[in-house]
Amino acid sequence: VVSYPDHDAIRWLDPGTGAIADTAAVTAPISVAVGEDGTVFVLTAGRIVRLTRANHTLVEVIPATALQYPYRIDVDAEGRIFVAENSVNGHGGNGDLGAAVQHHQVKTFTAAGNLIRAYGRPEGRADGLYVGSDFLMLDDITADETGGFYVAEGVGVPKRGAHIRADGTVAAEWFSANY
């Protein structure tokens, strides 16, 4: 399943041929994730909705009021929803590093949309003493198999990849000048 924000659609593609198997209308989808049962979760208009290939009716799972600058999502085998929030460089639409509001956080939710936990300082990683469990300029997120997640911080140097456990501690980090 892929998103087409400029076409207000998501599409199911045949993995063997790449041909379009189905299309659903979703206004400016920013990010998609597919659950174990085939349910598709879509970040659109600052909220997360779900639908299936059999039923294109959008059902709100997480309202926009529960999120700040959502940018990327993923879902794990247990149905937990992971949201990377990023207010920088147009990610979430709030300008650049000089923006008045900074927000760089990860949030996890139950499949029903209830907040489980917020990770990192809402304002992001601060200058001074390095705190690996804070984030800055989140670019992507992937759930792991134990309730934790991997993130990529792709703007600026150094770029960082990190594996964060469900309890919020850092399992591993990787740094580079480029991906």
Side-chain angles (χ1 to χ4, degrees):
V1 180
V2 295
S3 64
Y4 286 88
D6 294 339
H7 299 285
D8 291 333
I10 63 166
R11 290 184 177 154
W12 286 261
L13 302 179
D14 181 291
T17 66
I20 298 170
D22 201 358
T23 300
V26 179
T27 303
I30 296 172
S31 184
V32 296
V34 181
E36 291 286 311
D37 64 356
T39 298
V40 177
F41 296 85
V42 183
L43 174 56
T44 176
R47 66 190 180 127
I48 297 174
V49 298
R50 74 171 186 255
L51 68 152
T52 65
R53 188 166 174 203
N55 183 351
H56 292 189
T57 302
L58 304 181
V59 176
E60 185 174 85
V61 179
I62 303 172
T65 55
L67 303 170
Q68 292 183 24
Y69 304 100
Y71 184 59
R72 293 289 184 251
I73 64 173
D74 198 18
V75 62
D76 70 6
E78 302 296 319
R80 290 177 289 240
I81 302 165
F82 295 74
V83 182
E85 298 175 320
N86 182 357
S87 63
V88 175
N89 292 332
H91 298 189
N94 195 39
D96 58 24
L97 284 173
V101 176
Q102 292 295 310
H103 192 82
H104 309 273
Q105 202 168 31
V106 170
K107 291 180 181 167
T108 55
F109 295 85
T110 65
N114 299 314
L115 180 66
I116 297 171
R117 183 175 178 157
Y119 297 84
R121 290 172 11 109
E123 304 82 18
R125 193 166 33 257
D127 290 338
L129 183 63
Y130 175 76
V131 178
S133 57
D134 286 339
F135 309 103
L136 188 61
M137 300 179 243
L138 289 162
D139 228 12
D140 210 351
I141 188 163
T142 300
D144 73 10
E145 63 282 349
T146 61
F149 54 91
Y150 295 87
V151 292
E153 297 172 343
V155 179
V157 174
K159 296 178 185 322
R160 178 177 86 132
H163 180 199
I164 308 297
R165 296 180 188 97
D167 68 3
T169 59
V170 177
E173 296 178 284
W174 305 269
F175 296 91
S176 75
N178 263 327
Y179 285 133

Tab-separated table of all heavy atoms in Angstrom, residues 30-72:
chain	number	residue	atom	x	y	z
A	30	ILE	N	-0.240	11.369	4.226
A	30	ILE	CA	1.176	11.647	4.456
A	30	ILE	C	1.970	10.366	4.685
A	30	ILE	O	3.105	10.244	4.254
A	30	ILE	CB	1.343	12.592	5.663
A	30	ILE	CG1	0.711	13.936	5.351
A	30	ILE	CG2	2.807	12.762	6.036
A	30	ILE	CD1	0.661	14.859	6.550
A	31	SER	N	1.370	9.409	5.393
A	31	SER	CA	2.075	8.183	5.757
A	31	SER	C	1.058	7.056	5.873
A	31	SER	O	-0.091	7.291	6.259
A	31	SER	CB	2.808	8.395	7.094
A	31	SER	OG	3.580	7.285	7.452
A	32	VAL	N	1.470	5.835	5.528
A	32	VAL	CA	0.598	4.663	5.650
A	32	VAL	C	1.337	3.543	6.365
A	32	VAL	O	2.560	3.454	6.316
A	32	VAL	CB	0.099	4.146	4.279
A	32	VAL	CG1	-0.762	5.176	3.592
A	32	VAL	CG2	1.229	3.717	3.394
A	33	ALA	N	0.573	2.695	7.036
A	33	ALA	CA	1.108	1.497	7.677
A	33	ALA	C	0.046	0.417	7.568
A	33	ALA	O	-1.151	0.702	7.616
A	33	ALA	CB	1.443	1.767	9.139
A	34	VAL	N	0.482	-0.825	7.411
A	34	VAL	CA	-0.444	-1.931	7.236
A	34	VAL	C	-0.313	-2.888	8.415
A	34	VAL	O	0.779	-3.359	8.729
A	34	VAL	CB	-0.179	-2.678	5.911
A	34	VAL	CG1	-1.174	-3.816	5.729
A	34	VAL	CG2	-0.232	-1.714	4.735
A	35	GLY	N	-1.450	-3.188	9.056
A	35	GLY	CA	-1.473	-4.111	10.185
A	35	GLY	C	-1.414	-5.555	9.730
A	35	GLY	O	-1.553	-5.871	8.545
A	36	GLU	N	-1.211	-6.442	10.692
A	36	GLU	CA	-1.106	-7.879	10.421
A	36	GLU	C	-2.334	-8.429	9.701
A	36	GLU	O	-2.226	-9.340	8.892
A	36	GLU	CB	-0.906	-8.654	11.735
A	36	GLU	CG	0.430	-8.430	12.386
A	36	GLU	CD	1.550	-9.147	11.671
A	36	GLU	OE1	1.418	-10.345	11.371
A	36	GLU	OE2	2.573	-8.483	11.402
A	37	ASP	N	-3.514	-7.862	9.986
A	37	ASP	CA	-4.758	-8.344	9.371
A	37	ASP	C	-5.087	-7.632	8.051
A	37	ASP	O	-6.149	-7.835	7.483
A	37	ASP	CB	-5.919	-8.184	10.350
A	37	ASP	CG	-6.218	-6.738	10.702
A	37	ASP	OD1	-5.479	-5.825	10.261
A	37	ASP	OD2	-7.206	-6.501	11.438
A	38	GLY	N	-4.174	-6.779	7.581
A	38	GLY	CA	-4.404	-6.065	6.328
A	38	GLY	C	-5.065	-4.707	6.490
A	38	GLY	O	-5.236	-3.984	5.505
A	39	THR	N	-5.436	-4.354	7.721
A	39	THR	CA	-5.999	-3.030	7.957
A	39	THR	C	-4.939	-1.985	7.629
A	39	THR	O	-3.782	-2.125	8.012
A	39	THR	CB	-6.452	-2.871	9.423
A	39	THR	OG1	-7.474	-3.834	9.686
A	39	THR	CG2	-6.981	-1.473	9.697
A	40	VAL	N	-5.344	-0.940	6.925
A	40	VAL	CA	-4.430	0.127	6.545
A	40	VAL	C	-4.692	1.329	7.439
A	40	VAL	O	-5.833	1.763	7.599
A	40	VAL	CB	-4.621	0.514	5.060
A	40	VAL	CG1	-3.708	1.671	4.685
A	40	VAL	CG2	-4.374	-0.688	4.170
A	41	PHE	N	-3.625	1.853	8.027
A	41	PHE	CA	-3.686	3.058	8.839
A	41	PHE	C	-3.078	4.192	8.015
A	41	PHE	O	-2.027	4.011	7.406
A	41	PHE	CB	-2.916	2.872	10.149
A	41	PHE	CG	-3.530	1.820	11.023
A	41	PHE	CD1	-3.203	0.482	10.849
A	41	PHE	CD2	-4.446	2.154	12.002
A	41	PHE	CE1	-3.782	-0.500	11.632
A	41	PHE	CE2	-5.027	1.177	12.800
A	41	PHE	CZ	-4.699	-0.151	12.606
A	42	VAL	N	-3.748	5.336	8.001
A	42	VAL	CA	-3.314	6.451	7.164
A	42	VAL	C	-3.265	7.724	8.002
A	42	VAL	O	-4.217	8.037	8.720
A	42	VAL	CB	-4.270	6.665	5.969
A	42	VAL	CG1	-3.769	7.788	5.074
A	42	VAL	CG2	-4.466	5.379	5.182
A	43	LEU	N	-2.159	8.447	7.875
A	43	LEU	CA	-2.035	9.772	8.478
A	43	LEU	C	-2.531	10.780	7.455
A	43	LEU	O	-1.965	10.915	6.370
A	43	LEU	CB	-0.581	10.042	8.853
A	43	LEU	CG	-0.232	11.437	9.359
A	43	LEU	CD1	-1.077	11.831	10.556
A	43	LEU	CD2	1.248	11.504	9.691
A	44	THR	N	-3.622	11.472	7.782
A	44	THR	CA	-4.232	12.443	6.887
A	44	THR	C	-4.842	13.565	7.718
A	44	THR	O	-5.462	13.294	8.751
A	44	THR	CB	-5.309	11.799	5.993
A	44	THR	OG1	-5.935	12.816	5.214
A	44	THR	CG2	-6.368	11.061	6.771
A	45	ALA	N	-4.627	14.794	7.321
A	45	ALA	CA	-5.203	15.959	8.000
A	45	ALA	C	-4.881	15.965	9.489
A	45	ALA	O	-5.723	16.336	10.304
A	45	ALA	CB	-6.710	16.021	7.763
A	46	GLY	N	-3.672	15.530	9.858
A	46	GLY	CA	-3.233	15.563	11.245
A	46	GLY	C	-3.821	14.496	12.133
A	46	GLY	O	-3.613	14.486	13.338
A	47	ARG	N	-4.566	13.567	11.566
A	47	ARG	CA	-5.205	12.486	12.337
A	47	ARG	C	-4.871	11.150	11.697
A	47	ARG	O	-4.357	11.101	10.575
A	47	ARG	CB	-6.713	12.684	12.381
A	47	ARG	CG	-7.353	12.542	11.013
A	47	ARG	CD	-8.806	12.967	11.001
A	47	ARG	NE	-9.354	12.796	9.662
A	47	ARG	CZ	-10.448	12.119	9.375
A	47	ARG	NH1	-11.150	11.563	10.346
A	47	ARG	NH2	-10.858	12.012	8.139
A	48	ILE	N	-5.186	10.067	12.397
A	48	ILE	CA	-4.957	8.741	11.836
A	48	ILE	C	-6.299	8.038	11.681
A	48	ILE	O	-7.108	7.976	12.616
A	48	ILE	CB	-4.000	7.923	12.717
A	48	ILE	CG1	-2.640	8.626	12.748
A	48	ILE	CG2	-3.860	6.494	12.197
A	48	ILE	CD1	-1.637	8.038	13.681
A	49	VAL	N	-6.528	7.548	10.463
A	49	VAL	CA	-7.744	6.809	10.141
A	49	VAL	C	-7.358	5.398	9.719
A	49	VAL	O	-6.199	5.120	9.420
A	49	VAL	CB	-8.546	7.505	9.011
A	49	VAL	CG1	-8.999	8.890	9.450
A	49	VAL	CG2	-7.737	7.583	7.726
A	50	ARG	N	-8.340	4.526	9.703
A	50	ARG	CA	-8.095	3.162	9.221
A	50	ARG	C	-9.158	2.805	8.192
A	50	ARG	O	-10.259	3.356	8.179
A	50	ARG	CB	-8.072	2.163	10.365
A	50	ARG	CG	-9.403	1.850	10.947
A	50	ARG	CD	-9.333	0.669	11.941
A	50	ARG	NE	-10.677	0.355	12.339
A	50	ARG	CZ	-11.212	0.658	13.516
A	50	ARG	NH1	-10.499	1.247	14.435
A	50	ARG	NH2	-12.467	0.345	13.767
A	51	LEU	N	-8.789	1.882	7.308
A	51	LEU	CA	-9.700	1.346	6.308
A	51	LEU	C	-9.150	0.002	5.862
A	51	LEU	O	-8.036	-0.382	6.236
A	51	LEU	CB	-9.844	2.302	5.120
A	51	LEU	CG	-8.617	2.488	4.218
A	51	LEU	CD1	-9.080	2.853	2.824
A	51	LEU	CD2	-7.709	3.573	4.750
A	52	THR	N	-9.928	-0.716	5.095
A	52	THR	CA	-9.470	-1.987	4.531
A	52	THR	C	-9.689	-1.958	3.028
A	52	THR	O	-10.419	-1.104	2.513
A	52	THR	CB	-10.237	-3.187	5.125
A	52	THR	OG1	-11.614	-3.091	4.746
A	52	THR	CG2	-10.114	-3.242	6.649
A	53	ARG	N	-9.093	-2.898	2.370
A	53	ARG	CA	-9.296	-2.975	0.917
A	53	ARG	C	-10.748	-3.331	0.600
A	53	ARG	O	-11.306	-2.880	-0.397
A	53	ARG	CB	-8.343	-4.008	0.312
A	53	ARG	CG	-8.379	-3.991	-1.190
A	53	ARG	CD	-7.238	-4.739	-1.783
A	53	ARG	NE	-7.417	-4.812	-3.223
A	53	ARG	CZ	-6.881	-5.715	-3.983
A	53	ARG	NH1	-6.089	-6.638	-3.462
A	53	ARG	NH2	-7.104	-5.724	-5.270
A	54	ALA	N	-11.381	-4.095	1.474
A	54	ALA	CA	-12.776	-4.480	1.262
A	54	ALA	C	-13.748	-3.353	1.603
A	54	ALA	O	-14.852	-3.301	1.075
A	54	ALA	CB	-13.105	-5.713	2.108
A	55	ASN	N	-13.329	-2.446	2.500
A	55	ASN	CA	-14.214	-1.367	2.931
A	55	ASN	C	-13.403	-0.077	2.995
A	55	ASN	O	-12.602	0.113	3.902
A	55	ASN	CB	-14.817	-1.697	4.303
A	55	ASN	CG	-15.795	-0.646	4.768
A	55	ASN	OD1	-15.937	0.424	4.181
A	55	ASN	ND2	-16.479	-0.946	5.864
A	56	HIS	N	-13.628	0.815	2.063
A	56	HIS	CA	-12.870	2.057	1.972
A	56	HIS	C	-13.401	3.160	2.882
A	56	HIS	O	-12.941	4.295	2.799
A	56	HIS	CB	-12.852	2.555	0.533
A	56	HIS	CG	-12.070	1.684	-0.390
A	56	HIS	ND1	-11.790	2.055	-1.669
A	56	HIS	CD2	-11.486	0.467	-0.226
A	56	HIS	CE1	-11.088	1.107	-2.271
A	56	HIS	NE2	-10.906	0.131	-1.403
A	57	THR	N	-14.345	2.838	3.766
A	57	THR	CA	-14.851	3.833	4.700
A	57	THR	C	-13.757	4.187	5.700
A	57	THR	O	-13.190	3.300	6.341
A	57	THR	CB	-16.080	3.297	5.461
A	57	THR	OG1	-17.085	2.942	4.511
A	57	THR	CG2	-16.627	4.328	6.432
A	58	LEU	N	-13.454	5.492	5.820
A	58	LEU	CA	-12.421	5.940	6.751
A	58	LEU	C	-12.984	6.011	8.157
A	58	LEU	O	-13.996	6.665	8.397
A	58	LEU	CB	-11.897	7.321	6.341
A	58	LEU	CG	-11.343	7.454	4.926
A	58	LEU	CD1	-10.854	8.870	4.689
A	58	LEU	CD2	-10.237	6.457	4.683
A	59	VAL	N	-12.312	5.329	9.094
A	59	VAL	CA	-12.710	5.327	10.498
A	59	VAL	C	-11.596	6.005	11.289
A	59	VAL	O	-10.453	5.539	11.271
A	59	VAL	CB	-12.937	3.888	11.013
A	59	VAL	CG1	-13.260	3.892	12.496
A	59	VAL	CG2	-14.018	3.191	10.206
A	60	GLU	N	-11.919	7.082	11.976
A	60	GLU	CA	-10.897	7.790	12.761
A	60	GLU	C	-10.474	6.939	13.953
A	60	GLU	O	-11.312	6.458	14.709
A	60	GLU	CB	-11.423	9.136	13.244
A	60	GLU	CG	-10.365	9.958	13.954
A	60	GLU	CD	-10.834	11.340	14.296
A	60	GLU	OE1	-11.468	11.490	15.362
A	60	GLU	OE2	-10.572	12.259	13.511
A	61	VAL	N	-9.168	6.755	14.097
A	61	VAL	CA	-8.605	5.998	15.217
A	61	VAL	C	-7.968	6.944	16.225
A	61	VAL	O	-8.148	6.791	17.429
A	61	VAL	CB	-7.557	4.971	14.723
A	61	VAL	CG1	-6.961	4.199	15.874
A	61	VAL	CG2	-8.155	4.035	13.696
A	62	ILE	N	-7.195	7.912	15.730
A	62	ILE	CA	-6.537	8.889	16.595
A	62	ILE	C	-6.874	10.275	16.054
A	62	ILE	O	-6.508	10.607	14.924
A	62	ILE	CB	-5.016	8.680	16.637
A	62	ILE	CG1	-4.684	7.261	17.111
A	62	ILE	CG2	-4.353	9.723	17.543
A	62	ILE	CD1	-3.220	6.892	17.003
A	63	PRO	N	-7.580	11.095	16.849
A	63	PRO	CA	-7.955	12.420	16.363
A	63	PRO	C	-6.756	13.363	16.318
A	63	PRO	O	-5.749	13.169	17.012
A	63	PRO	CB	-8.984	12.896	17.399
A	63	PRO	CG	-8.612	12.172	18.650
A	63	PRO	CD	-8.060	10.835	18.207
A	64	ALA	N	-6.875	14.407	15.528
A	64	ALA	CA	-5.806	15.403	15.401
A	64	ALA	C	-5.486	16.049	16.744
A	64	ALA	O	-4.344	16.442	16.981
A	64	ALA	CB	-6.197	16.455	14.371
A	65	THR	N	-6.454	16.124	17.639
A	65	THR	CA	-6.222	16.751	18.943
A	65	THR	C	-5.252	15.951	19.811
A	65	THR	O	-4.697	16.487	20.762
A	65	THR	CB	-7.544	16.937	19.698
A	65	THR	OG1	-8.200	15.663	19.797
A	65	THR	CG2	-8.450	17.929	19.000
A	66	ALA	N	-5.022	14.680	19.493
A	66	ALA	CA	-4.109	13.830	20.270
A	66	ALA	C	-2.677	13.891	19.739
A	66	ALA	O	-1.771	13.299	20.334
A	66	ALA	CB	-4.599	12.385	20.260
A	67	LEU	N	-2.472	14.587	18.619
A	67	LEU	CA	-1.165	14.607	17.961
A	67	LEU	C	-0.684	16.039	17.751
A	67	LEU	O	-1.490	16.952	17.623
A	67	LEU	CB	-1.255	13.901	16.607
A	67	LEU	CG	-1.744	12.458	16.636
A	67	LEU	CD1	-2.028	11.967	15.227
A	67	LEU	CD2	-0.732	11.577	17.329
A	68	GLN	N	0.648	16.196	17.694
A	68	GLN	CA	1.248	17.477	17.357
A	68	GLN	C	2.260	17.236	16.251
A	68	GLN	O	3.225	16.510	16.440
A	68	GLN	CB	1.959	18.086	18.563
A	68	GLN	CG	1.014	18.511	19.664
A	68	GLN	CD	1.771	19.177	20.793
A	68	GLN	OE1	2.859	19.707	20.606
A	68	GLN	NE2	1.184	19.160	21.974
A	69	TYR	N	2.039	17.806	15.095
A	69	TYR	CA	2.942	17.685	13.951
A	69	TYR	C	3.246	16.227	13.591
A	69	TYR	O	4.402	15.866	13.416
A	69	TYR	CB	4.237	18.459	14.199
A	69	TYR	CG	4.005	19.906	14.521
A	69	TYR	CD1	4.047	20.355	15.833
A	69	TYR	CD2	3.716	20.814	13.512
A	69	TYR	CE1	3.808	21.689	16.140
A	69	TYR	CE2	3.481	22.148	13.803
A	69	TYR	CZ	3.528	22.572	15.127
A	69	TYR	OH	3.293	23.889	15.416
A	70	PRO	N	2.234	15.374	13.462
A	70	PRO	CA	2.517	13.979	13.076
A	70	PRO	C	3.132	13.932	11.689
A	70	PRO	O	2.730	14.678	10.799
A	70	PRO	CB	1.137	13.325	13.111
A	70	PRO	CG	0.178	14.457	12.867
A	70	PRO	CD	0.805	15.665	13.520
A	71	TYR	N	4.120	13.040	11.518
A	71	TYR	CA	4.825	12.975	10.237
A	71	TYR	C	4.909	11.570	9.661
A	71	TYR	O	4.729	11.381	8.472
A	71	TYR	CB	6.221	13.575	10.386
A	71	TYR	CG	6.990	13.634	9.099
A	71	TYR	CD1	6.497	14.343	8.013
A	71	TYR	CD2	8.185	12.961	8.954
A	71	TYR	CE1	7.184	14.394	6.808
A	71	TYR	CE2	8.892	13.009	7.755
A	71	TYR	CZ	8.392	13.719	6.689
A	71	TYR	OH	9.068	13.762	5.507
A	72	ARG	N	5.202	10.575	10.462
A	72	ARG	CA	5.292	9.188	9.991
A	72	ARG	C	4.640	8.263	11.004
A	72	ARG	O	4.652	8.533	12.205
A	72	ARG	CB	6.748	8.763	9.789
A	72	ARG	CG	7.444	9.485	8.658
A	72	ARG	CD	6.884	9.019	7.303
A	72	ARG	NE	7.580	9.626	6.210
A	72	ARG	CZ	7.072	10.550	5.400
A	72	ARG	NH1	5.850	10.991	5.570
A	72	ARG	NH2	7.781	11.032	4.403
